[in-house]
Amino acid sequence: MKALLLTRTTLIWFLLVGATLVSWELGHGVGLDSAAAAGAAILLVTFVKVRFVVLDFMELRGAPNWMRAIAEGWIVLCCALLIGLFLVAR
Amino acid sequence: MDKLSQYLARDVAIAKALAYSGVALVVSLVIAQGFLMGFIPPPSPNLSAEELAQIFIDRKIGIRIGTMIECIGFTFWGTWAISIVVCMRRMERGIPVLSYASIANAGGAWVFFLLMPITWAMIAFRPESMDPKFIQIMNDYVWFIFILSWPPFALFMIFIATAIFRDHNVPTIYPRWVAFFNLWCAVLITPAALIEFVKTGPFAYDGLISFWFIYIVFFGWIVVMSMVTVKALNRVAARAAVTS
Amino acid sequence: MPGEEGVWLFIGGDLILFTLLFAVFLHMRAEQLTVFTEGRAQLNQTWGLINTLLMLTSSWCVATAIQAARRHQVQVTMRCFGGALACGLGFWTVKCFEYSEKLSAGLTITTNDFFMLYFTYTGIHLIHVTIGMGVLTALIFYARSGNFDAAKLRNLESGASFWHLVDLLWIVLFALLYLVGAP
């Protein structure tokens, strides 16, 4: 039981909860002055979380290279697309 | 080759023709509904009744010819669906529950397909003398029939997926990814239910999701299933030739 | 490769749809900035936060269940899947409260474009949660007999990957709908 609790998975869970709280604060005007920077930062943190979920929970870290490349490529493209679309609105 | 496997080879040839009829359906859709009627994408649900009536008056000849072609093309839904059921029947042993359920389902769903061009043809029959409000209701009816009737089609996709998961043949008649592909399509056409609520935006019946995405997924599904069914039928024939 | 190929086809296909949905949201937001800023302010961020924590925890449960299965711990595997299922139920409950709060405040799918997207996107996601809970229930029964050989582990991984997808989609939806764009 202890061996199952003290795992990388648990560490990732703490990281994800921490990142959620950081983006929560950013969404409430803490940290960055401009709303544009805060929004972009929230989206960036979001896709860092997505990357952890994909690589560690979905276990793509140990998957074949081509599969991991597609996943990482999607994460980068989707993140860039959304931040771009978000900043256009300003 | 003995007599039985000669028979089977001919059956498989017919079944393959039925599988290809799905491709004919999609081609006739693009020609008739796209080029002749100009209804890909649909006229906006936000148009006034008069603007919509004018479209039917302007395009009435195209719509008459287009609906005629589409009536023929959409008939192939039934033939195409049966080519898949033929393969499903060979996956099931014991009681062929999924095959029977699929036959009933495909036969019922066929009515929705034919109602579309028939209703459009009726609007284009005398659009000048018809009340524009009435044309608007009938045109909405066509799109609602087409998009809101997603559940039986989603159910057929789930039946196919279930049959593939339960396939006792080694190797399976369809590759297993086909099952997941069908489940994916079944999930993806669910947003169709949202057209009831909105007249503009991505979930309106001319919108990016409710029209373009669902259209491409649904008709793409028909083409993909035609292709994999032809391959599956080839394997069925090859296997029968070996065992006989 | 964790799970089987077909599941990844499904996951990839779903991500295409949601990438489109995310982009549509930000595109429409750019066109009606005030409507979307006001709409966001009318959401209850706390419900969103609770649901995010529930989703993350459920994903942890599912990932741990897989690791327990690899060690042939039948009871732990079932309990972890059960924990994830409970989180899914919690997610549903919170969503019910949230929807009824919005509806009683007169905010519906027809109020404006922000709420149209809010209800449709969370609704489509909730369908995923429901399907995922069905998958988790199936996995609990499937795990009960033990004997975790390679084929069985692969099937468990397939189901687990789908649940992680549901988690992943909510992480992005939470940021887009609830957090981004505070004035």
Side-chain angles (χ1 to χ4, degrees):
Chain A
M1 195 68 221
K2 197 177 167 191
L4 279 173
L5 287 175
L6 299 174
T7 53
R8 191 182 161 81
T9 313
T10 309
L11 176 71
I12 300 295
W13 181 82
F14 274 108
L15 277 173
L16 289 172
V17 170
T20 306
L21 296 177
V22 168
S23 41
W24 169 264
E25 293 297 329
L26 285 168
H28 286 78
V30 179
L32 294 163
D33 291 335
S34 88
I42 290 168
L43 287 173
L44 195 63
V45 171
T46 299
F47 278 89
V48 171
K49 284 161 74 182
V50 166
R51 187 165 178 270
F52 275 123
V53 171
V54 170
L55 291 187
D56 291 295
F57 284 177
M58 290 177 153
E59 299 185 325
L60 280 199
R61 202 177 282 282
N65 281 335
W66 62 269
M67 217 173 144
R68 193 172 156 176
I70 293 174
E72 302 251 19
W74 173 77
I75 291 169
V76 171
L77 281 180
C78 192
C79 181
L81 173 74
L82 295 193
I83 291 180
L85 281 171
F86 170 74
L87 291 177
V88 164
R90 304 264 142 197
Chain B
M1 216 194 266
D2 62 32
K3 218 160 192 154
L4 193 70
S5 51
Q6 274 177 0
Y7 248 93
L8 192 91
R10 275 179 227 148
D11 292 340
V12 165
I14 295 171
K16 271 160 74 175
L18 296 191
Y20 278 122
S21 71
V23 180
L25 185 160
V26 176
V27 171
S28 77
L29 172 96
V30 173
I31 293 172
Q33 200 168 317
F35 292 108
L36 290 169
M37 299 189 235
F39 286 155
I40 299 180
S44 167
N46 216 23
L47 284 182
S48 75
E50 287 70 26
E51 287 170 305
L52 185 73
Q54 197 55 47
I55 290 179
F56 276 91
I57 294 168
D58 294 343
R59 299 185 194 162
K60 74 181 170 195
I61 300 300
I63 293 173
R64 284 174 194 168
I65 301 171
T67 48
M68 216 159 66
I69 296 173
E70 213 171 62
C71 278
I72 302 168
F74 280 178
T75 303
F76 295 139
W77 160 263
T79 55
W80 169 83
I82 292 305
S83 73
I84 298 172
V85 179
V86 166
C87 296
M88 284 169 79
R89 180 64 190 88
R90 291 188 92 83
M91 298 175 203
E92 289 190 287
R93 52 183 166 190
I95 309 170
V97 193
L98 293 169
S99 305
Y100 290 156
S102 300
I103 294 169
N105 191 306
W110 186 79
V111 178
F112 293 109
F113 265 107
L114 278 185
L115 267 179
M116 291 189 58
I118 292 174
T119 312
W120 270 330
M122 279 172 65
I123 307 176
F125 188 48
R126 41 178 143 231
E128 297 89 351
S129 59
M130 216 188 273
D131 182 352
K133 282 253 167 359
F134 195 61
I135 292 185
Q136 190 176 38
I137 292 173
M138 286 181 76
N139 181 64
D140 282 345
Y141 176 73
V142 175
W143 289 104
F144 270 58
I145 276 202
F146 195 49
I147 300 176
L148 216 52
S149 65
W150 63 273
F153 296 95
L155 198 59
F156 185 39
M157 293 164 184
I158 294 170
F159 285 159
I160 296 173
T162 314
I164 296 173
F165 285 138
R166 301 192 59 226
D167 189 353
H168 66 277
N169 296 284
V170 182
T172 51
I173 289 182
Y174 286 111
R176 270 173 74 93
W177 66 263
V178 176
F180 288 98
F181 174 71
N182 275 275
L183 288 179
W184 177 65
C185 291
V187 172
L188 286 193
I189 62 172
T190 53
L194 296 168
I195 61 159
E196 291 185 54
F197 299 100
V198 287
K199 294 188 179 63
T200 55
F203 296 102
Y205 69 59
D206 69 333
L208 180 67
I209 304 296
S210 289
F211 179 75
W212 288 109
F213 193 80
I214 290 178
Y215 234 61
I216 291 170
V217 166
F218 184 76
F219 290 105
W221 169 70
I222 292 186
V223 173
V224 170
M225 287 309 290
S226 290
M227 296 305 156
V228 292
T229 303
V230 168
K231 280 198 184 138
L233 287 165
N234 283 337
R235 275 193 294 275
V236 168
R239 216 171 293 174
V242 170
T243 47
S244 66
Chain C
M1 185 187 294
E4 65 176 288
E5 289 169 19
V7 171
W8 290 100
L9 186 79
F10 183 96
I11 291 174
D14 224 29
L15 285 177
I16 294 172
L17 170 71
F18 271 89
T19 308
L20 200 63
L21 291 181
F22 299 150
V24 163
F25 178 86
L26 286 177
H27 175 71
M28 287 177 74
R29 180 177 178 276
E31 285 178 342
Q32 312 174 47
L33 201 52
T34 34
V35 171
F36 275 63
T37 313
E38 281 167 17
R40 193 208 71 96
Q42 282 167 297
L43 293 187
N44 187 336
Q45 266 85 11
T46 313
W47 290 134
L49 180 68
I50 295 172
N51 266 348
T52 307
L53 296 178
L54 281 172
M55 269 292 143
L56 293 176
T57 308
S58 69
S59 249
W60 177 85
C61 287
V62 167
T64 306
I66 295 297
Q67 288 176 355
R70 286 184 188 137
R71 296 162 196 238
H72 301 277
Q73 295 171 318
V74 181
Q75 285 301 318
V76 182
T77 307
M78 284 171 66
R79 263 184 232 138
C80 283
F81 280 134
L85 189 62
C87 289
L89 266 178
F91 187 95
W92 246 102
T93 316
V94 169
K95 267 271 157 287
C96 286
F97 279 120
E98 195 182 346
Y99 281 154
S100 65
E101 191 180 277
K102 292 287 154 303
L103 294 177
S104 60
L107 300 165
T108 67
I109 194 164
T110 50
T111 302
N112 58 35
D113 278 354
F114 176 81
F115 280 98
M116 177 188 68
L117 294 187
Y118 163 78
F119 278 109
T120 51
Y121 285 20
T122 53
I124 294 173
H125 180 261
L126 204 56
I127 294 174
H128 281 71
V129 174
T130 313
I131 297 172
M133 284 165 66
V135 171
L136 289 176
T137 312
L139 290 185
I140 293 173
F141 283 105
Y142 187 57
R144 192 159 67 178
S145 58
N147 294 323
F148 299 122
D149 56 11
K152 193 156 182 176
L153 277 175
R154 198 175 57 237
N155 289 337
L156 289 174
E157 285 167 1
S158 299
S161 296
F162 179 75
W163 187 263
H164 293 311
L165 170 75
V166 177
D167 174 31
L168 185 160
L169 295 175
W170 180 255
I171 289 175
V172 185
L173 278 181
F174 173 59
L176 281 184
L177 293 171
Y178 294 82
L179 294 180
V180 147

